[in-house]
Amino acid sequence: MQTMRSVYGVVSGSARLLALVLGGALLIPGSASAQLSGFPSGYPIDPNAQNPTNNNNNNNNSSDSNQAGNRAAQSQAAVPPTIEMERYQADRIVDYSALAARANDRQADQPPAGDRIPLVVRPPKPSEFEEFVSQMVDKPLRRFGANLLVPGARGFTAPPTTTVPPDYRLNPGDELLIGFTGSVEASDLRLTIDSEGRIFIPRVGAVNVAGVRYGDVQALIARAVSRQYRDFRVAVSVGKLHGITVYVTGFAATPGSYTVSSLSTLVDAVLAAGGPSAGGSFRSIQVRRDGRLISDFDLYDLLLKGDKSADVLLQNGDVIFIAPAGPQVAVIGSVNVEAIYEARVNETLYDMLLYAGGINTVAENSRLLVFNPLGHVGWQQLSASDVQNRVASRGEIVRVLSGVGIAQPLYSQPALVTVSGEVANPGRYYVQPGTPMSAVIAQAGGLTAQAFPFGAVFTRESVRQTQRASYERALRDLQLSLTTQPLVSATQNYQIQPARLDAVRFVVQLLQARQPDGRLVLNVQPADRALPGDMVVENNDTIYVPPQPVTVGVFGAVPSPASFQYRRGETIGAYLRRAGGVQKLGDKGEIFVVRANGTLLAERRGLFKSSILNQPSLPGDLIFVPVDSDRGEFWARVRDISGLLFPAIIAGAAVTK
């Protein structure tokens, strides 16, 4: 669509005189603070804003101001604005930020700031109810349809290249392209319909086409030409459409008069005016023509159903009235579109849920909660039948509850259990709530002769989540302790070394990479041939039964770490001696053994001091000798001290030479 604006006049120098044509009237502002009639209130360019002045340069610029005033007087304009005002264009909603950027770029070549009309960006403000609900749910919640009206949103107006529909009625100002072939001498005519609704065809005369359907104009012109000529053909198309003036009134964001394309519809004009204001209705937008109601349009029909049947084509002088908003209801929770919805007369809460796209996949469909801040009842629980019969009231907040994320009783949970390893039929088994582990193993065909129940790995999802939460908390405490240890220790240097902090971060990163897997140590003895039968399984449990291990591993600070064949009755110390004993860097007092079932066996100190080296080993044991932590800390301290003293040693050597 054509952007309808006109700029008249030229002011000498870099200043330009701007005149706007709206509704056929030439409007020249008398001063920068004068009201520009024809601009809708709230327009980004604020005509009533005071012109900024620079008090420090008043004396220096007085002569220049006088010369500018003389030039303005000669042009019959008191203050020539230097920013080319850009009006709402008919083919889109104005992007306020882009408009401001373009205007600011132009100001570099303009006269001093005292002659400029400031550009004011006014984003739409939420209503009081929107602010209240947003604070209540702790996130922004707007009226449904408000995203259609934000700056930068794409308009629904047809572009200039849109094909003119056959039902379009021609109006003064439209331009017709007429082509003749055959006996007619005139061809390729470009004719504009005058104010009387006529076009003048050479050698034919005036033809009245105003109000004629575009689909009928070709036949009309052919009949007029046939009075003078025979054996000809005519083709008619629209070259350019005229502009029309419409008036957006009522509760619009920027009410006023707008010059739009003659193909514009009700929705185009409403969007050009910024849509309904905070108190305007999305459900009742009326078009009045010559005092008659032409259409009462519901924007929800367009937004929710894609129905534009009531979106009428505008004509010159049409009045668009946006009614005040009706009762508003907020719908939050497990729905497809959380928003504030406007209710019409006798619409129910069920209708509000339909506007919200219905409940989502995880919603609880048997009940919901309703809260009315205007009452004193608090939250009320309604059933599905109550929702269908309860008429929506203003200010109500409807919350649809979610049906997920709530732990259910164990006795009511069916379980899918994975069984693998040394069982007759490994696989996944679906069992009913309350099924014990013995029944699951029985479904899997029982244990094989090679099974080692003592080393069974049993993992559970609920245990994994609990372990990870505790593990992450312990890591945070460890990181804080290691980082602040030099600050609280009297024997440490008060300066925290970067190398120490890097080491702390490295250790924490290594620990973070080793997340708990949710293993649950079962109450099974090494000689047992079955798993605990009374433990009730949960959903997503996994059971792995390994074969009988035949080795014992020795690793850590030993000369020859390896896995050795298991011998019944042999002690832990015997396997340690096979690996060469403990190295000098090893810590004999911190040797520990990890059993096949996941338990830990370590040295005991203090009153009940005992050694694990004399205890018998078990199949699958892992013996580990750690490095002496005190020795490692000593060397770390030596390295830190040498790092501090090395520059001083070099400086001292240079002095002694």
Side-chain angles (χ1 to χ4, degrees):
M1 294 183 179
Q2 302 282 339
T3 301
M4 306 307 298
R5 66 186 180 199
S6 301
V7 180
Y8 294 87
V10 176
V11 177
S12 58
S14 60
R16 291 176 292 179
L17 178 62
L18 178 65
L20 302 177
V21 178
L22 288 176
L26 179 62
L27 304 176
I28 301 178
S31 66
S33 62
Q35 176 68 35
L36 296 179
S37 59
F39 272 92
S41 61
Y43 184 70
I45 300 178
D46 190 350
N48 293 321
Q50 296 295 327
N51 291 330
T53 57
N54 190 339
N55 294 329
N56 296 329
N57 298 327
N58 283 343
N59 296 330
N60 297 333
N61 297 332
S62 60
S63 60
D64 295 339
S65 300
N66 292 334
Q67 295 176 6
N70 294 334
R71 291 194 300 267
Q74 294 172 2
S75 302
Q76 298 181 353
V79 179
T82 60
I83 301 176
E84 180 182 354
M85 295 184 180
E86 294 202 40
R87 187 174 164 71
Y88 286 177
Q89 299 183 12
D91 58 317
R92 65 180 174 89
I93 300 177
V94 169
D95 187 333
Y96 294 156
S97 58
L99 179 60
R102 291 198 300 272
N104 293 334
D105 291 341
R106 295 190 187 115
Q107 290 181 359
D109 299 328
Q110 302 298 336
D115 292 336
R116 298 177 189 156
I117 296 179
L119 195 68
V120 181
V121 178
R122 296 179 177 175
K125 295 182 179 180
S127 65
E128 184 178 1
F129 184 57
E130 291 178 78
E131 293 178 347
F132 170 76
V133 178
S134 298
Q135 293 177 0
M136 185 173 182
V137 301
D138 197 23
K139 61 181 176 181
L141 198 70
R142 300 299 305 274
R143 297 175 65 192
F144 180 72
N147 58 341
L148 184 70
L149 311 172
V150 297
R154 298 181 60 184
F156 284 78
T157 307
T161 56
T162 299
T163 302
V164 179
D167 290 336
Y168 172 72
R169 295 191 178 274
L170 300 173
N171 289 279
D174 290 343
E175 184 182 69
L176 298 180
L177 300 179
I178 304 175
F180 291 99
T181 58
S183 60
V184 180
E185 297 179 0
S187 62
D188 298 332
L189 299 177
R190 185 180 294 269
L191 305 176
T192 301
I193 304 175
D194 61 19
S195 59
E196 301 295 331
R198 301 171 300 178
I199 58 173
F200 184 81
I201 303 176
R203 300 182 183 276
V204 174
V207 180
N208 195 340
V209 296
V212 178
R213 293 175 64 255
Y214 173 59
D216 300 332
V217 69
Q218 181 170 316
L220 176 64
I221 293 176
R223 288 195 300 270
V225 176
S226 65
R227 300 190 187 100
Q228 303 291 336
Y229 296 93
R230 296 290 184 272
D231 300 329
F232 68 90
R233 291 184 180 179
V234 62
V236 181
S237 62
V238 174
K240 184 173 64 176
L241 295 173
H242 72 295
I244 61 174
T245 300
V246 296
Y247 304 90
V248 182
T249 64
F251 293 82
T254 52
S257 62
Y258 289 85
T259 301
V260 296
S261 167
S262 56
L263 279 183
S264 297
T265 65
L266 176 153
V267 172
D268 300 330
V270 169
L271 296 183
S277 64
S281 174
F282 281 82
R283 309 298 306 274
S284 179
I285 302 176
Q286 303 173 4
V287 176
R288 296 185 178 274
R289 185 174 300 156
D290 298 328
R292 295 180 295 107
L293 179 63
I294 302 301
S295 175
D296 191 352
F297 187 65
D298 186 350
L299 267 177
Y300 279 18
D301 289 341
L302 172 62
L303 299 177
L304 296 173
K305 307 173 186 177
D307 182 8
K308 285 189 65 177
S309 58
D311 184 20
V312 298
L313 199 66
L314 297 177
Q315 295 185 14
N316 191 55
D318 281 353
V319 177
I320 297 130
F321 174 77
I322 300 180
Q328 296 181 19
V329 176
V331 182
I332 61 175
S334 297
V335 294
N336 289 313
V337 183
E338 290 183 300
I340 296 174
Y341 295 89
E342 181 181 347
R344 278 190 161 181
V345 179
N346 295 328
E347 285 190 331
T348 64
L349 294 182
Y350 182 76
D351 295 321
M352 301 298 104
L353 291 178
L354 292 180
Y355 294 152
I359 61 175
N360 62 21
T361 304
V362 300
E364 183 180 344
N365 59 0
S366 61
R367 61 192 178 98
L368 54 75
L369 300 179
V370 177
F371 174 73
N372 192 332
L374 303 178
H376 304 281
V377 181
W379 287 98
Q380 294 179 282
Q381 179 173 300
L382 300 181
S383 63
S385 59
D386 295 334
V387 171
Q388 293 183 356
N389 299 324
R390 177 162 171 168
V391 176
S393 300
R394 63 186 180 94
E396 286 186 326
I397 301 174
V398 179
R399 180 177 181 180
V400 179
L401 303 176
S402 175
V404 297
I406 302 174
Q408 300 296 326
L410 184 61
Y411 67 84
S412 65
Q413 297 182 25
L416 183 64
V417 183
T418 302
V419 183
S420 60
E422 293 299 320
V423 292
N425 301 306
R428 292 181 173 86
Y429 294 90
Y430 182 79
V431 296
Q432 295 301 314
T435 301
M437 185 184 298
S438 58
V440 178
I441 298 299
Q443 288 191 36
L447 302 179
T448 64
Q450 293 77 25
F452 186 53
F454 180 71
V457 180
F458 179 81
T459 61
R460 174 164 287 179
E461 180 63 24
S462 60
V463 174
R464 184 184 68 86
Q465 294 177 359
T466 303
Q467 288 177 346
R468 288 194 174 184
S470 302
Y471 187 70
E472 290 174 359
R473 183 172 60 252
L475 282 182
R476 290 193 296 269
D477 295 342
L478 174 63
Q479 185 175 11
L480 179 62
S481 176
L482 293 177
T483 304
T484 59
Q485 191 270 339
L487 299 177
V488 299
S489 176
T491 61
Q492 295 289 337
N493 192 321
Y494 286 102
Q495 182 180 5
I496 302 177
Q497 300 298 322
R500 182 185 296 275
L501 294 178
D502 292 340
V504 169
R505 296 189 188 99
F506 180 71
V507 171
V508 172
Q509 289 175 359
L510 289 179
L511 294 175
Q512 286 176 341
R514 304 185 62 181
Q515 293 289 337
D517 57 2
R519 182 175 182 180
L520 182 63
V521 177
L522 300 176
N523 187 19
V524 182
Q525 300 302 319
D528 290 346
R529 301 302 304 165
L531 294 174
D534 56 348
M535 175 174 286
V536 177
V537 295
E538 293 183 9
N539 191 38
N540 294 325
D541 283 352
T542 62
I543 304 171
Y544 170 71
V545 183
Q548 180 79 25
V550 295
T551 61
V552 173
V554 182
F555 299 97
V558 295
S560 180
S563 293
F564 301 92
Q565 184 177 2
Y566 171 74
R567 293 180 182 178
R568 183 183 296 272
E570 207 163 50
T571 64
I572 295 174
Y575 287 103
L576 186 59
R577 289 189 293 272
R578 287 190 189 183
V582 180
Q583 291 181 323
K584 292 183 179 180
L585 292 177
D587 190 347
K588 297 180 180 179
E590 296 294 337
I591 298 174
F592 62 88
V593 179
V594 179
R595 297 291 193 188
N597 68 339
T599 58
L600 184 69
L601 186 64
E603 292 277 350
R604 290 185 179 180
R605 297 182 179 184
L607 182 63
F608 300 99
K609 180 178 180 181
S610 64
S611 176
I612 64 173
L613 301 180
N614 298 325
Q615 296 188 22
S617 64
L618 296 176
D621 279 354
L622 174 62
I623 305 170
F624 190 83
V625 181
V627 175
D628 190 344
S629 59
D630 292 336
R631 184 184 300 273
E633 183 177 0
F634 168 77
W635 286 111
R637 291 178 180 177
V638 171
R639 181 188 60 205
D640 292 342
I641 295 173
S642 63
L644 291 173
L645 296 181
F646 186 76
I649 294 174
I650 297 298
V655 172
T656 57
K657 287 184 178 180

